[in-house]
Amino acid sequence: MRGVLGILAVLFLSAFAGAAHAGVDVRVDIPAQRMTVTTTDGEVYDWKISSGRKGFRSPNGVYRPTRLEKNWYSRKYGGAMPHSVFFRGGYAIHGTTAVGALGRPASHGCIRLHPANAAKLFALVKKHGSSQTRIALNGAAPDNLSRFAKASSPSKAKIAKAGPSKQKIAKAAPSKHKIAKAKQHSQATSVAQRRGGDWEAARGQILLRPALPAGAYGYQPYYPSGYGWR
């Protein structure tokens, strides 16, 4: 009887020890933008990731999954997050459609994976359980790797260079004094033209008017006895 109990005890302890060591170990190397996944079943994976870009750092530390969401959508940033493994608040490891950005920082703090790799990790965590899964994030990516972020937001220096300066705008726009002077010149020219036109018209009428006969009454400027009225 004692021998049977001893065998059962050994089997129980062996099973318990196996369960205690079973699990998934996820290590995220942020400077290298890589993720290594190992399991007690002997599975080993090495995948490209995208961590948080400049201004959206991924949090360093050791965590365990808090919840699993096969289909998730971020209302805050407006993007799909398939096969999400949440590990700290809204931070998660999930799939992304921006596979071209994998290998450099591009996210808002989450750890992005190729959709197929995210689905594989999701299945492993679900198989071994959240309590037997360890997620460790370490390091920081240099800011010059955040090419995706820089491409979408031009620097202030470039914006200032592209826009015309106040001095150039002021130089290009005519001053009030110049505008007033040009207006006065235009008005004077118009008046002169009108006066010249009136004089030419009057002169034409005088030349066309027939000469008065010698015996006509009126003002005779060339009357032989002098100027006067007849």
Side-chain angles (χ1 to χ4, degrees):
M1 185 65 180
R2 289 181 179 179
V4 173
L5 291 174
I7 293 171
L8 290 174
V10 170
L11 292 174
F12 177 78
L13 290 173
S14 299
F16 180 80
H21 291 287
V24 183
D25 185 53
V26 180
R27 298 187 181 187
V28 180
D29 187 345
I30 295 178
Q33 293 292 289
R34 307 289 299 187
M35 174 189 290
T36 303
V37 179
T38 59
T39 70
T40 51
D41 296 338
E43 296 181 73
V44 180
Y45 303 96
D46 183 57
W47 299 320
K48 286 183 180 181
I49 67 158
S50 282
S51 65
R53 64 179 184 261
K54 186 178 180 181
F56 299 93
R57 301 293 190 190
S58 300
N60 285 350
V62 180
Y63 309 95
R64 292 194 183 279
T66 55
R67 73 179 193 275
L68 303 178
E69 298 289 349
K70 187 175 182 180
N71 297 299
W72 190 258
Y73 185 85
S74 173
R75 294 181 180 178
K76 184 175 182 179
Y77 297 112
M81 300 166 56
H83 296 101
S84 290
V85 179
F86 287 90
F87 59 88
R88 176 184 168 180
Y91 293 99
I93 301 171
H94 61 81
T96 179
T97 55
V99 294
L102 293 174
R104 65 178 185 269
S107 77
H108 293 97
C110 289
I111 303 299
R112 295 179 180 177
L113 287 172
H114 189 283
N117 298 335
K120 180 63 178 178
L121 178 64
F122 188 90
L124 289 174
V125 175
K126 196 170 183 180
K127 174 184 175 181
H128 293 276
S130 297
S131 62
Q132 301 301 319
T133 300
R134 178 180 177 271
I135 300 172
L137 281 71
N138 185 54
D143 291 338
N144 60 0
L145 289 180
S146 299
R147 299 174 188 170
F148 186 80
K150 288 184 178 179
S152 60
S153 56
S155 65
K156 293 181 179 179
K158 289 184 179 179
I159 294 173
K161 189 175 181 181
S165 64
K166 292 182 178 179
Q167 185 177 0
K168 289 183 178 180
I169 293 173
K171 189 175 180 181
S175 63
K176 294 182 179 180
H177 177 70
K178 289 184 178 180
I179 293 173
K181 191 173 181 181
K183 191 173 181 181
Q184 288 176 358
H185 178 71
S186 177
Q187 290 176 348
T189 303
S190 178
V191 170
Q193 288 176 350
R194 286 201 304 270
R195 288 178 177 176
D198 293 343
W199 164 248
E200 291 297 330
R203 184 171 178 271
Q205 291 295 327
I206 293 170
L207 293 175
L208 292 174
R209 187 176 300 168
L212 292 173
Y217 287 88
Y219 184 75
Q220 298 289 331
Y222 299 104
Y223 194 66
S225 62
Y227 296 96
W229 290 92
R230 283 190 67 189

